[in-house]
Amino acid sequence: GLGDVYKRQGLLKTGLEKEVSENKLYTDRYIIEEAKNRLELTNKKIEQLNEETDNDATYHIELTFLEKEKTQLTAFIAKWGPKDTF
């Protein structure tokens, strides 16, 4: 989830939901907006990858990773974001 992303970036120690909830720097609105930004960047990366592809193994690995990230972000926003998000 998004907590895992923050953990990888060194912004949180564990990335667990409890830590995210207790950290006042990360309001719900901030986290949702950050997820939307990451989704937009992921979509741009997918588009760019599709334009520049050689259709090799590296392309398929990267596309699989980006599609998984897109799915996770979309599910997160749908669950936690404002109901008018999609």
Coordinates of all heavy atoms in Angstrom, one line a residue:
G1 N 0.8 -1.2 0.0 CA 0.0 0.0 0.0 C 0.8 1.2 0.0 O 2.1 1.2 -0.2
L2 N 0.2 2.4 0.2 CA 0.9 3.7 0.2 C 1.9 3.7 1.3 O 3.0 4.3 1.2 CB -0.1 4.8 0.2 CG 0.4 6.2 -0.2 CD1 1.0 6.1 -1.6 CD2 -0.7 7.2 -0.2
G3 N 1.6 3.1 2.5 CA 2.5 3.1 3.6 C 3.8 2.4 3.2 O 4.9 2.9 3.6
D4 N 3.7 1.4 2.4 CA 4.9 0.7 1.9 C 5.8 1.7 1.1 O 7.0 1.6 1.1 CB 4.6 -0.5 1.1 CG 3.9 -1.6 2.0 OD1 4.2 -1.7 3.2 OD2 3.1 -2.4 1.5
V5 N 5.1 2.5 0.3 CA 5.8 3.4 -0.6 C 6.6 4.4 0.3 O 7.8 4.7 0.1 CB 4.8 4.2 -1.5 CG1 5.6 5.3 -2.3 CG2 4.2 3.2 -2.5
Y6 N 5.9 4.9 1.3 CA 6.5 5.9 2.2 C 7.7 5.2 3.0 O 8.7 5.8 3.3 CB 5.5 6.5 3.2 CG 4.6 7.5 2.5 CD1 3.2 7.4 2.8 CD2 5.0 8.4 1.7 CE1 2.3 8.3 2.2 CE2 4.2 9.3 1.0 CZ 2.8 9.2 1.3 OH 2.0 10.1 0.7
K7 N 7.5 4.0 3.3 CA 8.6 3.2 4.0 C 9.8 3.1 3.1 O 10.9 3.4 3.6 CB 8.1 1.8 4.4 CG 9.1 1.1 5.2 CD 8.6 -0.3 5.6 CE 9.7 -1.1 6.2 NZ 9.3 -2.5 6.4
R8 N 9.6 2.7 1.9 CA 10.7 2.6 0.9 C 11.5 3.9 0.7 O 12.7 4.0 0.5 CB 10.3 2.1 -0.4 CG 10.0 0.6 -0.4 CD 9.8 0.1 -1.8 NE 8.8 0.7 -2.6 CZ 7.6 0.4 -2.7 NH1 7.1 -0.7 -2.0 NH2 6.7 1.0 -3.5
Q9 N 10.7 5.0 0.8 CA 11.3 6.4 0.6 C 12.0 6.9 1.9 O 12.5 7.9 1.9 CB 10.3 7.4 0.2 CG 9.8 7.1 -1.2 CD 8.7 8.0 -1.7 OE1 8.1 8.7 -0.9 NE2 8.4 8.0 -2.9
G10 N 11.8 6.1 3.0 CA 12.4 6.5 4.3 C 11.6 7.6 5.0 O 12.1 8.2 6.0
L11 N 10.4 7.8 4.6 CA 9.5 8.8 5.3 C 8.8 8.2 6.5 O 8.4 8.9 7.4 CB 8.5 9.3 4.3 CG 9.0 10.0 3.1 CD1 7.9 10.3 2.1 CD2 9.8 11.3 3.4
L12 N 8.7 6.9 6.5 CA 8.1 6.2 7.7 C 8.9 5.0 8.1 O 9.6 4.4 7.2 CB 6.6 5.7 7.3 CG 5.6 6.7 7.0 CD1 4.3 6.1 6.6 CD2 5.3 7.7 8.2
K13 N 8.9 4.6 9.3 CA 9.7 3.5 9.8 C 9.1 2.1 9.4 O 9.8 1.3 8.9 CB 9.8 3.5 11.3 CG 10.7 4.6 11.8 CD 10.8 4.6 13.3 CE 11.5 5.9 13.8 NZ 11.6 5.9 15.3
T14 N 7.8 2.0 9.5 CA 7.2 0.7 9.3 C 6.3 0.7 8.1 O 6.1 -0.3 7.4 CB 6.4 0.2 10.5 OG1 5.3 1.1 10.7 CG2 7.2 0.1 11.7
G15 N 5.6 1.8 7.8 CA 4.7 1.9 6.7 C 3.3 1.3 7.1 O 2.4 1.2 6.2
L16 N 3.1 0.9 8.3 CA 1.9 0.3 8.8 C 0.8 1.3 8.9 O 1.1 2.5 9.1 CB 2.0 -0.4 10.1 CG 3.0 -1.6 10.1 CD1 3.2 -2.1 11.6 CD2 2.5 -2.7 9.2
E17 N -0.4 0.9 8.7 CA -1.6 1.8 8.7 C -1.6 2.7 10.0 O -1.9 3.9 10.0 CB -2.9 1.1 8.5 CG -4.1 2.0 8.4 CD -5.3 1.2 8.1 OE1 -5.3 0.1 7.5 OE2 -6.4 1.7 8.4
K18 N -1.3 2.0 11.1 CA -1.3 2.7 12.4 C -0.3 3.9 12.4 O -0.6 5.0 12.8 CB -0.9 1.8 13.5 CG -0.9 2.4 14.9 CD -0.6 1.4 16.0 CE -0.6 2.2 17.3 NZ 0.1 1.5 18.4
E19 N 0.9 3.7 11.8 CA 1.9 4.7 11.8 C 1.5 5.9 10.9 O 1.6 7.0 11.2 CB 3.3 4.2 11.3 CG 4.4 5.2 11.3 CD 5.7 4.7 10.8 OE1 5.7 3.6 10.1 OE2 6.7 5.3 11.1
V20 N 0.9 5.5 9.8 CA 0.4 6.6 8.9 C -0.7 7.4 9.6 O -0.7 8.6 9.5 CB -0.2 5.9 7.5 CG1 -0.8 7.0 6.7 CG2 1.0 5.2 6.8
S21 N -1.6 6.7 10.3 CA -2.7 7.4 11.0 C -2.2 8.3 12.1 O -2.7 9.3 12.3 CB -3.7 6.3 11.6 OG -4.3 5.6 10.6
E22 N -1.1 7.9 12.8 CA -0.6 8.6 13.9 C 0.3 9.8 13.4 O 0.5 10.7 14.2 CB 0.2 7.7 14.8 CG -0.7 6.7 15.6 CD 0.2 5.7 16.3 OE1 1.4 5.7 16.2 OE2 -0.5 5.0 17.1
N23 N 0.8 9.8 12.2 CA 1.7 10.8 11.7 C 0.9 12.0 11.2 O 0.3 11.9 10.2 CB 2.6 10.2 10.6 CG 3.7 11.2 10.3 OD1 3.6 12.4 10.3 ND2 4.9 10.6 10.0
K24 N 0.9 13.1 11.9 CA 0.1 14.2 11.6 C 0.6 15.0 10.3 O -0.1 15.8 9.8 CB 0.1 15.2 12.8 CG -0.5 14.6 14.1 CD -1.9 14.1 13.8 CE -2.4 13.4 15.1 NZ -3.5 12.5 14.9
L25 N 1.8 14.6 9.9 CA 2.3 15.3 8.6 C 1.5 14.7 7.4 O 1.5 15.4 6.4 CB 3.8 15.0 8.4 CG 4.7 15.6 9.5 CD1 6.1 15.2 9.2 CD2 4.6 17.1 9.4
Y26 N 0.9 13.5 7.6 CA 0.2 12.9 6.4 C -1.3 12.9 6.7 O -1.8 11.9 7.2 CB 0.8 11.5 6.2 CG 2.3 11.5 6.0 CD1 3.1 11.0 6.9 CD2 2.8 12.0 4.8 CE1 4.5 11.1 6.7 CE2 4.1 12.1 4.6 CZ 5.0 11.6 5.5 OH 6.3 11.6 5.3
T27 N -1.9 14.0 6.3 CA -3.4 14.0 6.5 C -4.0 13.1 5.4 O -3.4 12.8 4.4 CB -3.9 15.5 6.3 OG1 -3.6 15.9 4.9 CG2 -3.3 16.4 7.3
D28 N -5.3 12.8 5.6 CA -6.0 11.9 4.6 C -5.9 12.6 3.3 O -5.7 11.9 2.3 CB -7.4 11.7 5.1 CG -7.5 10.8 6.3 OD1 -6.5 10.2 6.7 OD2 -8.6 10.7 6.9
R29 N -6.2 13.9 3.2 CA -6.2 14.6 2.0 C -4.9 14.6 1.3 O -4.8 14.3 0.1 CB -6.7 16.0 2.2 CG -6.8 16.8 0.9 CD -7.2 18.2 1.1 NE -7.2 18.9 -0.1 CZ -8.1 19.8 -0.5 NH1 -9.1 20.1 0.3 NH2 -8.0 20.4 -1.7
Y30 N -3.8 14.8 2.1 CA -2.5 14.7 1.5 C -2.2 13.4 0.9 O -1.6 13.3 -0.2 CB -1.4 15.1 2.6 CG 0.0 14.9 2.1 CD1 0.7 15.9 1.4 CD2 0.7 13.7 2.3 CE1 2.0 15.7 1.0 CE2 2.0 13.5 1.9 CZ 2.6 14.5 1.2 OH 3.9 14.3 0.7
I31 N -2.5 12.3 1.6 CA -2.2 11.0 1.2 C -3.0 10.6 -0.1 O -2.4 10.1 -1.1 CB -2.5 9.9 2.3 CG1 -1.5 10.1 3.4 CG2 -2.4 8.5 1.7 CD1 -1.8 9.3 4.6
I32 N -4.3 11.0 -0.2 CA -5.1 10.8 -1.4 C -4.5 11.6 -2.6 O -4.4 11.1 -3.7 CB -6.5 11.2 -1.1 CG1 -7.2 10.3 -0.1 CG2 -7.3 11.1 -2.4 CD1 -7.1 8.8 -0.4
E33 N -4.1 12.9 -2.3 CA -3.6 13.7 -3.4 C -2.2 13.1 -3.9 O -2.0 13.1 -5.1 CB -3.4 15.1 -3.0 CG -4.7 15.9 -2.8 CD -5.6 15.9 -4.0 OE1 -5.1 16.1 -5.2 OE2 -6.8 15.6 -3.9
E34 N -1.4 12.6 -3.0 CA -0.2 12.0 -3.3 C -0.4 10.7 -4.2 O 0.3 10.4 -5.2 CB 0.6 11.6 -2.1 CG 2.0 11.1 -2.3 CD 2.9 12.1 -3.0 OE1 2.7 13.3 -2.9 OE2 3.9 11.6 -3.6
A35 N -1.4 9.9 -3.8 CA -1.8 8.7 -4.6 C -2.2 9.1 -6.0 O -1.9 8.5 -6.9 CB -2.8 7.9 -3.8
K36 N -3.0 10.2 -6.1 CA -3.5 10.6 -7.4 C -2.3 11.1 -8.2 O -2.2 10.8 -9.4 CB -4.4 11.8 -7.3 CG -5.8 11.4 -6.7 CD -6.7 12.6 -6.7 CE -8.0 12.4 -6.0 NZ -8.8 13.7 -5.9
N37 N -1.3 11.8 -7.6 CA -0.1 12.2 -8.3 C 0.7 11.0 -8.8 O 1.1 11.0 -10.0 CB 0.8 13.1 -7.5 CG 0.1 14.5 -7.2 OD1 -0.7 14.9 -8.0 ND2 0.5 15.1 -6.1
R38 N 0.8 10.0 -8.0 CA 1.6 8.8 -8.3 C 0.9 8.1 -9.4 O 1.5 7.5 -10.3 CB 1.8 7.9 -7.1 CG 2.8 8.5 -6.1 CD 3.0 7.6 -4.9 NE 3.9 8.2 -4.0 CZ 5.2 8.1 -4.1 NH1 5.7 7.4 -5.0 NH2 6.0 8.7 -3.2
L39 N -0.5 8.0 -9.4 CA -1.2 7.4 -10.5 C -1.0 8.1 -11.8 O -0.8 7.4 -12.8 CB -2.7 7.3 -10.1 CG -3.6 6.6 -11.1 CD1 -3.2 5.2 -11.4 CD2 -5.1 6.7 -10.6
E40 N -1.0 9.4 -11.8 CA -0.8 10.2 -13.0 C 0.6 9.9 -13.5 O 0.8 9.7 -14.7 CB -1.0 11.7 -12.7 CG -0.9 12.5 -13.9 CD -1.1 14.0 -13.6 OE1 -1.8 14.3 -12.7 OE2 -0.5 14.8 -14.4
L41 N 1.6 9.9 -12.7 CA 3.0 9.6 -13.1 C 3.1 8.2 -13.6 O 3.8 8.0 -14.6 CB 3.9 9.8 -11.9 CG 4.2 11.3 -11.5 CD1 5.0 11.3 -10.2 CD2 4.8 12.1 -12.6
T42 N 2.5 7.2 -13.0 CA 2.5 5.9 -13.4 C 1.9 5.7 -14.8 O 2.4 5.0 -15.7 CB 1.8 4.9 -12.4 OG1 2.5 5.1 -11.2 CG2 1.8 3.5 -12.9
N43 N 0.7 6.4 -15.0 CA 0.1 6.4 -16.4 C 1.0 7.0 -17.4 O 1.1 6.4 -18.5 CB -1.2 7.1 -16.3 CG -2.3 6.3 -15.7 OD1 -2.3 5.1 -15.7 ND2 -3.3 7.0 -15.0
K44 N 1.7 8.0 -17.1 CA 2.6 8.6 -18.0 C 3.8 7.7 -18.3 O 4.3 7.6 -19.5 CB 3.2 10.0 -17.5 CG 2.1 11.1 -17.6 CD 2.6 12.4 -17.0 CE 1.6 13.5 -17.0 NZ 2.0 14.7 -16.5
K45 N 4.3 7.0 -17.3 CA 5.4 6.1 -17.5 C 5.0 4.9 -18.4 O 5.7 4.5 -19.3 CB 5.9 5.5 -16.2 CG 6.7 6.5 -15.3 CD 7.1 5.8 -14.0 CE 7.8 6.8 -13.1 NZ 8.1 6.1 -11.8
I46 N 3.7 4.4 -18.2 CA 3.2 3.4 -19.1 C 3.1 3.8 -20.5 O 3.5 3.2 -21.4 CB 1.9 2.9 -18.5 CG1 2.1 2.1 -17.2 CG2 1.2 2.0 -19.6 CD1 0.8 1.8 -16.5
E47 N 2.6 5.0 -20.7 CA 2.4 5.6 -22.0 C 3.8 5.8 -22.7 O 4.0 5.4 -23.9 CB 1.7 7.0 -21.9 CG 1.4 7.6 -23.3 CD 0.7 8.9 -23.1 OE1 -0.3 9.0 -22.3 OE2 1.1 9.9 -23.7
Q48 N 4.8 6.3 -21.9 CA 6.1 6.5 -22.5 C 6.8 5.2 -22.8 O 7.4 5.0 -23.8 CB 7.0 7.3 -21.5 CG 8.4 7.6 -21.9 CD 9.2 8.3 -20.9 OE1 8.8 8.4 -19.7 NE2 10.2 8.9 -21.3
L49 N 6.6 4.2 -21.9 CA 7.2 2.9 -22.1 C 6.6 2.2 -23.4 O 7.3 1.7 -24.2 CB 6.9 2.0 -20.9 CG 7.5 0.6 -20.9 CD1 9.0 0.7 -20.9 CD2 7.0 -0.2 -19.8
N50 N 5.3 2.4 -23.6 CA 4.7 1.8 -24.8 C 5.1 2.5 -26.1 O 5.2 1.9 -27.1 CB 3.2 1.9 -24.7 CG 2.6 0.9 -23.7 OD1 3.2 -0.2 -23.6 ND2 1.5 1.2 -23.1
E51 N 5.5 3.8 -26.0 CA 6.0 4.5 -27.2 C 7.4 4.2 -27.5 O 7.8 4.2 -28.7 CB 5.9 6.0 -26.9 CG 4.4 6.5 -26.9 CD 4.3 8.0 -26.5 OE1 5.4 8.6 -26.2 OE2 3.2 8.5 -26.5
E52 N 8.2 3.8 -26.5 CA 9.6 3.6 -26.7 C 10.0 2.1 -26.7 O 11.2 1.8 -26.7 CB 10.4 4.3 -25.6 CG 10.2 5.8 -25.6 CD 10.9 6.5 -24.4 OE1 11.4 5.8 -23.5 OE2 10.8 7.7 -24.4
T53 N 9.0 1.2 -26.7 CA 9.3 -0.2 -26.5 C 10.0 -0.8 -27.7 O 9.8 -0.5 -28.8 CB 8.0 -0.9 -26.2 OG1 8.4 -2.3 -25.9 CG2 7.1 -1.0 -27.4
D54 N 10.9 -1.8 -27.3 CA 11.5 -2.7 -28.2 C 10.8 -4.1 -28.0 O 11.2 -5.1 -28.7 CB 13.0 -2.9 -28.0 CG 13.7 -1.7 -28.3 OD1 13.3 -0.9 -29.2 OD2 14.8 -1.4 -27.7
N55 N 9.8 -4.1 -27.2 CA 9.0 -5.3 -26.9 C 9.8 -6.5 -26.4 O 9.6 -7.6 -26.8 CB 8.1 -5.7 -28.1 CG 6.9 -6.5 -27.7 OD1 6.5 -6.5 -26.5 ND2 6.4 -7.3 -28.6
D56 N 10.9 -6.2 -25.6 CA 11.8 -7.2 -25.1 C 11.4 -7.6 -23.7 O 10.4 -7.1 -23.1 CB 13.2 -6.7 -25.2 CG 13.4 -5.4 -24.3 OD1 12.5 -5.0 -23.7 OD2 14.6 -4.9 -24.4
A57 N 12.2 -8.5 -23.1 CA 11.9 -9.0 -21.8 C 11.8 -7.8 -20.7 O 11.0 -7.8 -19.8 CB 12.9 -10.0 -21.4
T58 N 12.8 -6.9 -20.8 CA 12.8 -5.8 -19.9 C 11.5 -5.0 -20.0 O 11.0 -4.5 -18.9 CB 14.0 -4.9 -20.2 OG1 15.2 -5.7 -20.1 CG2 14.1 -3.7 -19.2
Y59 N 11.0 -4.7 -21.2 CA 9.8 -4.0 -21.4 C 8.6 -4.7 -20.6 O 7.9 -4.1 -19.9 CB 9.5 -3.9 -22.9 CG 8.0 -3.6 -23.2 CD1 7.5 -2.3 -23.0 CD2 7.1 -4.6 -23.6 CE1 6.2 -2.0 -23.3 CE2 5.8 -4.3 -23.8 CZ 5.3 -3.0 -23.7 OH 4.0 -2.8 -24.0
H60 N 8.5 -6.0 -20.8 CA 7.4 -6.8 -20.2 C 7.5 -6.8 -18.6 O 6.5 -6.6 -18.0 CB 7.4 -8.2 -20.7 CG 7.0 -8.3 -22.1 ND1 5.7 -8.0 -22.5 CD2 7.7 -8.6 -23.2 CE1 5.6 -8.2 -23.8 NE2 6.8 -8.5 -24.3
I61 N 8.7 -6.8 -18.1 CA 8.9 -6.8 -16.7 C 8.5 -5.4 -16.1 O 7.8 -5.3 -15.1 CB 10.4 -7.1 -16.3 CG1 10.7 -8.6 -16.6 CG2 10.7 -6.8 -14.8 CD1 12.2 -8.9 -16.5
E62 N 9.0 -4.4 -16.8 CA 8.7 -3.0 -16.3 C 7.2 -2.7 -16.5 O 6.6 -2.1 -15.6 CB 9.5 -2.0 -17.1 CG 9.4 -0.6 -16.5 CD 10.4 0.4 -17.1 OE1 11.3 0.0 -17.8 OE2 10.3 1.6 -16.7
L63 N 6.6 -3.2 -17.6 CA 5.2 -2.9 -17.8 C 4.3 -3.7 -16.7 O 3.4 -3.1 -16.2 CB 4.7 -3.4 -19.2 CG 3.3 -3.2 -19.5 CD1 2.9 -1.7 -19.5 CD2 2.9 -3.7 -20.9
T64 N 4.7 -4.9 -16.4 CA 4.0 -5.7 -15.4 C 4.1 -4.9 -14.0 O 3.1 -4.8 -13.3 CB 4.6 -7.1 -15.2 OG1 4.5 -7.7 -16.5 CG2 4.0 -7.9 -14.1
F65 N 5.3 -4.4 -13.7 CA 5.4 -3.7 -12.4 C 4.6 -2.4 -12.4 O 3.9 -2.1 -11.4 CB 6.9 -3.3 -12.2 CG 7.2 -2.4 -11.1 CD1 7.2 -2.9 -9.8 CD2 7.3 -1.0 -11.3 CE1 7.4 -2.0 -8.7 CE2 7.5 -0.1 -10.2 CZ 7.5 -0.6 -8.9
L66 N 4.6 -1.7 -13.5 CA 3.8 -0.4 -13.6 C 2.3 -0.7 -13.6 O 1.6 0.0 -12.9 CB 4.2 0.4 -14.8 CG 5.6 1.0 -14.9 CD1 5.9 1.5 -16.3 CD2 5.7 2.1 -13.8
E67 N 1.9 -1.7 -14.2 CA 0.5 -2.1 -14.2 C 0.0 -2.5 -12.8 O -1.1 -2.2 -12.4 CB 0.2 -3.2 -15.2 CG 0.3 -2.8 -16.7 CD -0.8 -1.9 -17.1 OE1 -1.8 -1.7 -16.4 OE2 -0.7 -1.3 -18.2
K68 N 0.9 -3.2 -12.1 CA 0.6 -3.6 -10.7 C 0.4 -2.4 -9.8 O -0.5 -2.2 -9.0 CB 1.6 -4.5 -10.2 CG 1.4 -5.0 -8.7 CD 2.4 -6.0 -8.3 CE 2.2 -6.4 -6.8 NZ 3.2 -7.3 -6.3
E69 N 1.4 -1.4 -10.0 CA 1.4 -0.2 -9.2 C 0.1 0.6 -9.5 O -0.6 1.1 -8.6 CB 2.6 0.6 -9.5 CG 2.8 1.9 -8.6 CD 4.1 2.5 -8.8 OE1 5.1 1.9 -9.2 OE2 4.2 3.7 -8.5
K70 N -0.3 0.7 -10.8 CA -1.5 1.4 -11.2 C -2.7 0.8 -10.6 O -3.6 1.5 -10.1 CB -1.6 1.3 -12.8 CG -2.8 2.0 -13.3 CD -2.9 1.9 -14.8 CE -4.1 2.5 -15.4 NZ -4.2 2.5 -16.8
T71 N -2.8 -0.6 -10.6 CA -3.9 -1.3 -10.0 C -4.0 -1.0 -8.5 O -5.1 -0.7 -8.0 CB -3.8 -2.8 -10.2 OG1 -3.8 -3.0 -11.6 CG2 -4.9 -3.5 -9.6
Q72 N -2.9 -1.0 -7.8 CA -2.9 -0.7 -6.4 C -3.3 0.7 -6.1 O -4.1 0.9 -5.1 CB -1.5 -1.0 -5.8 CG -1.1 -2.5 -5.7 CD 0.3 -2.7 -5.3 OE1 1.2 -1.9 -5.4 NE2 0.5 -3.9 -4.7
L73 N -2.7 1.6 -6.8 CA -3.1 3.0 -6.6 C -4.6 3.3 -6.9 O -5.3 4.0 -6.1 CB -2.2 4.0 -7.4 CG -0.8 4.1 -7.0 CD1 0.1 4.7 -8.1 CD2 -0.7 4.9 -5.7
T74 N -5.1 2.7 -7.9 CA -6.5 2.9 -8.3 C -7.4 2.3 -7.2 O -8.4 3.0 -6.8 CB -6.8 2.2 -9.7 OG1 -5.9 2.8 -10.7 CG2 -8.2 2.4 -10.1
A75 N -7.0 1.1 -6.7 CA -7.8 0.5 -5.7 C -7.8 1.4 -4.4 O -8.8 1.6 -3.7 CB -7.4 -0.9 -5.4
F76 N -6.6 1.9 -4.1 CA -6.4 2.7 -2.9 C -7.3 4.0 -3.0 O -8.0 4.3 -2.0 CB -5.0 3.1 -2.7 CG -4.7 4.0 -1.5 CD1 -4.5 3.4 -0.3 CD2 -4.7 5.3 -1.7 CE1 -4.3 4.2 0.8 CE2 -4.5 6.2 -0.6 CZ -4.3 5.6 0.7
I77 N -7.2 4.6 -4.1 CA -8.0 5.9 -4.3 C -9.5 5.6 -4.3 O -10.3 6.3 -3.7 CB -7.6 6.6 -5.6 CG1 -6.1 7.1 -5.5 CG2 -8.5 7.8 -5.9 CD1 -5.5 7.5 -6.8
A78 N -9.9 4.5 -4.9 CA -11.3 4.1 -4.9 C -11.8 3.8 -3.5 O -13.0 4.2 -3.2 CB -11.5 2.9 -5.8
K79 N -11.0 3.2 -2.7 CA -11.4 2.9 -1.3 C -11.4 4.1 -0.4 O -12.3 4.2 0.4 CB -10.5 1.8 -0.8 CG -10.9 1.3 0.6 CD -10.0 0.2 1.1 CE -10.5 -0.3 2.5 NZ -9.7 -1.4 2.9
W80 N -10.3 4.9 -0.5 CA -10.1 5.9 0.6 C -10.4 7.3 0.1 O -10.5 8.2 0.9 CB -8.7 5.8 1.1 CG -8.4 4.5 1.8 CD1 -7.7 3.5 1.2 CD2 -8.9 4.0 3.0 NE1 -7.6 2.4 2.1 CE2 -8.4 2.8 3.2 CE3 -9.7 4.6 4.0 CZ2 -8.6 2.0 4.4 CZ3 -9.9 3.9 5.2 CH2 -9.4 2.6 5.3
G81 N -10.5 7.5 -1.2 CA -10.6 8.9 -1.8 C -12.1 9.3 -1.8 O -13.0 8.6 -1.4
P82 N -12.2 10.6 -2.2 CA -13.6 11.1 -2.3 C -14.4 10.3 -3.3 O -13.8 9.7 -4.2 CB -13.4 12.5 -2.8 CG -12.0 12.8 -2.6 CD -11.2 11.5 -2.5
K83 N -15.7 10.2 -3.1 CA -16.5 9.3 -3.9 C -16.6 9.8 -5.3 O -17.0 9.1 -6.2 CB -17.9 9.1 -3.3 CG -17.8 8.5 -1.9 CD -17.1 7.2 -2.0 CE -16.8 6.6 -0.6 NZ -15.7 5.7 -0.5
D84 N -16.2 11.1 -5.6 CA -16.3 11.6 -6.9 C -14.9 11.5 -7.7 O -14.7 12.1 -8.7 CB -16.7 13.1 -6.9 CG -15.7 14.0 -6.2 OD1 -14.8 13.4 -5.5 OD2 -15.9 15.2 -6.2
T85 N -14.0 10.7 -7.1 CA -12.7 10.5 -7.7 C -12.8 9.9 -9.1 O -12.1 10.3 -10.0 CB -11.8 9.7 -6.8 OG1 -11.7 10.4 -5.6 CG2 -10.4 9.6 -7.4
F86 N -13.6 8.9 -9.3 CA -13.7 8.2 -10.6 C -15.0 8.4 -11.2 O -16.0 8.6 -10.7 CB -13.4 6.7 -10.4 CG -12.0 6.4 -10.0 CD1 -11.7 6.0 -8.7 CD2 -11.0 6.5 -11.0 CE1 -10.4 5.8 -8.4 CE2 -9.7 6.3 -10.6 CZ -9.4 5.9 -9.3

